Amino acid sequence: MQYYERNSRTLDYIVSKEQKKHVILKYLLDQELSLKIYPFDRKAVIKKYLEEDEKILIRMPEDWEETGEKKISLFKILAKYIEIECQFLQKAEKDLYLLKVERLAIAKSNRESPRVPVSNGKVVVTNLITPKTVIEANMFNIPTLIKVNLEDYKNRLKKNNTDNIVIEAFKPGLDRKFEIVKRSRKSLLLEDTQNVKSYSESGPDRLDYSKEVDEDVGTMIRKFKDQKIVSELIRPIIYKNHSDQPIPIGYIWIQSKDKNFSSDYLSELGKLSDEVVSRIKESNTIKTTEKFKVLDASLKGLKVKIHDPDLIDTLTKQKDFILDVLFKMQAPLTVSAAIRWWGKDEDKNLMIGLEFKGKSDHPGERNRYIKNLELMQKGAL
């Protein structure tokens, strides 16, 4: 089954034989450990530790069968998380197997808050604010919603304007200057194509043409003269996706035959670019009002089961999103949460581990969440 962890635990690895012996004999011998195979419901028990060779005799689950996999990882959560990595050696008898202990590690910090199991749909999440389409830097096909919005703004900018205006998505095969604008996320401005000084002007968000694009300024001056181009600019359109990752999705390219563009005009186009991005983000945002079960909860976050096919596809590519936590017969709590891990069960449902990104702006909501958690621990909710 699939499992992906975004933020793995920080571990201290036990090196000496004596320390390994101490940890195994005191904390792990005759204890149930979980096989590190999602959904972590298969258990094994260490029956004997052979100190000299650092081997363990372990009882594996009844349905466990030998495979070509030589590495076996197990863990147990006490005050701290303990992980043991082993190499398969041989089957001893029935369900007993001999393994070589290769690494033993303990989490650097204790678990901050216990997870409280949630039953009978007492807690659900709803009103998930997520993107319809996950926009990524390496997208091969440009989503239609981007193309439509770029075309709309191009038509608006062209009204009562005689300049050559192009607003399009970046695509393969463009001239070198477009590739550099995309890669650097900086603008290109030639205020006067016939003035050599224009080719060396630069700034924090503005390319130096002669250094970063083309050293052969003379050839470009002649080329622009032949085309009767007086001034040129290229402004990247930088989209920040729902994970706040800056992605250059397109560009505003304008050439004029009768006027010189200024840095002030470039700044104005920056505002237009921001407007385009806001419009795209708005078009690309959806609220899912369906309810999804919370499987366990803690002070820091939730484990949630997602069965919606569209969300199963998009959430695995997201870092965070906004949602409502809904305790039965209560008003919702709106939170922002980061996805720390995800996995899929046998029915292809998505399980996600969420960590709250910050405390609520409303102290009363935070206190209400804590109170509900305490009641669930006592079985009173």
Side-chain angles (χ1 to χ4, degrees):
M1 296 185 194
Q2 285 181 282
Y3 178 75
Y4 177 75
E5 192 172 8
R6 282 215 169 92
N7 292 72
S8 55
R9 294 175 175 85
T10 304
L11 303 175
D12 280 324
Y13 287 91
I14 307 302
V15 177
S16 75
K17 282 188 176 183
E18 281 301 314
Q19 286 179 308
K20 287 180 185 177
K21 174 185 176 183
H22 173 74
V23 172
I24 292 173
L25 294 182
K26 183 170 183 178
Y27 299 109
L28 304 181
L29 191 66
D30 288 323
Q31 299 293 314
E32 275 196 340
L33 285 82
S34 300
L35 284 169
K36 205 171 180 183
I37 302 171
Y38 188 79
F40 315 126
D41 56 356
R42 304 173 79 189
K43 309 296 181 180
V45 179
I46 297 177
K47 301 305 295 179
K48 190 174 183 180
Y49 178 60
L50 308 174
E51 180 183 355
E52 184 176 344
D53 299 318
E54 295 185 87
K55 297 175 183 176
I56 56 173
L57 190 65
I58 189 166
R59 174 172 287 121
M60 299 295 279
E62 290 183 6
D63 60 347
W64 192 82
E65 296 180 3
E66 295 177 51
T67 64
E69 184 62 52
K70 293 295 184 182
K71 302 291 182 182
I72 299 172
S73 295
L74 308 105
F75 69 90
K76 187 169 184 64
I77 299 175
L78 300 168
K80 291 184 178 181
Y81 171 91
I82 302 176
E83 182 175 287
I84 183 168
E85 295 182 13
C86 305
Q87 181 179 12
F88 173 80
L89 296 177
Q90 66 185 65
K91 183 173 182 177
E93 56 177 271
K94 293 184 180 179
D95 53 358
L96 292 175
Y97 297 84
L98 192 63
L99 308 180
K100 167 76 173 177
V101 177
E102 293 194 327
R103 295 206 299 182
L104 179 63
I106 301 176
K108 287 182 179 289
S109 57
N110 291 352
R111 171 167 281 183
E112 294 183 28
S113 57
R115 295 176 183 172
V116 181
V118 178
S119 60
N120 303 323
K122 290 179 179 177
V123 189
V124 297
V125 297
T126 187
N127 295 333
L128 282 66
I129 307 297
T130 59
K132 295 176 187 175
T133 302
V134 177
I135 296 174
E136 300 173 291
N138 58 352
M139 291 190 79
F140 183 76
N141 294 315
I142 306 299
T144 301
L145 66 93
I146 292 180
K147 294 177 182 177
V148 168
N149 280 288
L150 295 183
E151 183 69 21
D152 181 42
Y153 275 85
K154 180 179 75 174
N155 294 333
R156 286 171 55 179
L157 201 57
K158 275 189 170 184
K159 284 184 179 178
N160 304 316
N161 196 321
T162 59
D163 295 330
N164 179 31
I165 299 172
V166 175
I167 303 182
E168 288 186 352
F170 284 110
K171 53 190 176 184
L174 291 171
D175 287 348
R176 171 180 162 78
K177 58 187 176 184
F178 293 98
E179 292 296 331
I180 294 172
V181 166
K182 179 182 179 181
R183 185 171 65 249
S184 67
R185 303 200 295 269
K186 291 183 179 181
S187 297
L188 177 64
L189 172 62
L190 296 175
E191 297 184 29
D192 182 352
T193 61
Q194 299 307 298
N195 186 342
V196 69
K197 290 183 180 179
S198 289
Y199 292 81
S200 58
E201 292 181 3
S202 63
D205 297 312
R206 181 175 165 183
L207 291 166
D208 182 324
Y209 188 99
S210 61
K211 289 182 178 179
E212 299 176 83
V213 181
D214 194 343
E215 295 179 353
D216 190 0
V217 172
T219 297
M220 290 310 304
I221 288 176
R222 289 191 295 273
K223 185 175 180 180
F224 280 123
K225 185 176 182 179
D226 292 341
Q227 295 173 343
K228 298 180 180 179
I229 303 298
V230 172
S231 194
E232 178 182 65
L233 65 81
I234 305 172
R235 177 96 197 188
I237 299 171
I238 310 296
Y239 179 90
K240 281 198 173 183
N241 62 17
H242 287 68
S243 298
D244 212 31
Q245 177 189 16
I247 300 172
I249 57 170
Y251 58 90
I252 302 169
W253 177 34
I254 307 179
Q255 292 180 320
S256 180
K257 295 186 176 183
D258 56 16
K259 61 177 175 288
N260 298 100
F261 300 136
S262 66
S263 55
D264 288 341
Y265 183 56
L266 186 64
S267 297
E268 284 181 33
L269 291 178
K271 294 175 184 176
L272 176 69
S273 174
D274 292 340
E275 190 179 330
V276 173
V277 168
S278 295
R279 177 85 170 272
I280 292 171
K281 185 167 284 189
E282 184 180 332
S283 303
N284 193 36
T285 299
I286 187 170
K287 177 189 280 190
T288 304
T289 58
E290 195 170 352
K291 293 180 173 64
F292 303 97
K293 287 184 180 179
V294 173
L295 303 181
D296 64 48
S298 72
L299 288 175
K300 293 191 66 177
L302 308 166
K303 177 182 177 181
V304 180
K305 180 179 179 179
I306 303 291
H307 54 266
D308 179 89
D310 292 329
L311 287 177
I312 289 172
D313 180 56
T314 58
L315 285 179
T316 56
K317 302 168 186 173
Q318 286 297 109
K319 290 184 179 178
D320 48 49
F321 61 98
I322 295 170
L323 68 156
D324 284 347
V325 181
L326 192 61
F327 288 87
K328 204 167 186 178
M329 306 298 289
Q330 294 185 29
L333 303 168
T334 302
V335 299
S336 176
I339 299 174
R340 292 309 181 199
W341 61 265
W342 63 264
K344 291 183 180 179
D345 64 15
E346 292 177 347
D347 297 321
K348 302 301 181 183
N349 293 308
L350 179 68
M351 308 295 178
I352 51 175
L354 300 177
E355 181 181 352
F356 300 138
K357 291 183 68 176
K359 293 183 179 180
S360 172
D361 294 333
H362 307 287
E365 290 193 349
R366 173 71 176 170
N367 293 336
R368 181 155 65 91
Y369 179 82
I370 294 171
K371 182 65 175 176
N372 280 315
L373 209 58
E374 291 172 349
L375 289 172
M376 280 199 302
Q377 279 181 296
K378 297 173 183 177
L381 185 66

